[in-house]
Amino acid sequence: MATKTESHSCALFKLDRAPSNKVTLTFDDEPISAPEGVSLAAALLLNGVSPFRTTPVTSAPRAAYCMMGVCFECLVEIDGKPSCQACQITVREGMNVRRQLGASALELTAEGEGHGQ
């Protein structure tokens, strides 16, 4: 029979290696740090960031939910590129991340301009 501590032990929450190096990035112009190799969503959650974005219609707050790229709740702007899934991107030194408020801005071209190129 397992002891009380053994029965509550879960491999999911154990480190299988020594803590990694830290990287520094910015979120809405504030510096944050995170372990090297984690997803951006994990880094933001570790730093208490919420919400990651707001919805286009009602401005409802959203943050990471599924952590596997299915739900699209973790959309952020990374280095000027909107609608990036934070759960699918690994943190890197110097990333500039911004909260995505409402719909992402799209650059529209004149009709027919740039098609087929």
Side-chain angles (χ1 to χ4, degrees):
M1 183 170 176
T3 64
K4 188 172 184 175
T5 35
E6 290 172 339
S7 66
H8 293 289
S9 169
C10 178
L12 179 62
F13 298 107
K14 290 183 183 176
L15 287 175
D16 62 351
R17 57 184 161 75
S20 61
N21 294 327
K22 297 264 186 181
V23 295
T24 302
L25 55 142
T26 60
F27 183 79
D28 283 348
D29 300 322
E30 295 294 324
I32 61 173
S33 64
E36 188 176 55
V38 301
S39 72
L40 176 56
L44 295 177
L45 291 171
L46 283 168
N47 281 277
V49 172
S50 186
F52 289 17
R53 71 178 187 101
T54 59
T55 59
V57 176
T58 65
S59 296
R62 295 288 190 257
Y65 180 70
C66 74
M67 298 297 283
M68 61 182 183
V70 176
C71 72
F72 291 85
E73 296 294 354
C74 63
L75 297 178
V76 292
E77 179 183 300
I78 301 173
D79 296 328
K81 181 181 175 190
S83 300
C84 297
Q85 287 180 279
C87 69
Q88 298 295 295
I89 296 169
T90 304
V91 292
R92 69 180 190 299
E93 186 67 35
M95 285 179 110
N96 184 16
V97 183
R98 299 194 70 75
R99 184 174 278 121
Q100 187 164 299
L101 303 175
S104 62
L106 298 175
E107 187 176 314
L108 301 176
T109 59
E111 188 176 338
E113 183 183 329
H115 291 276
Q117 293 179 359

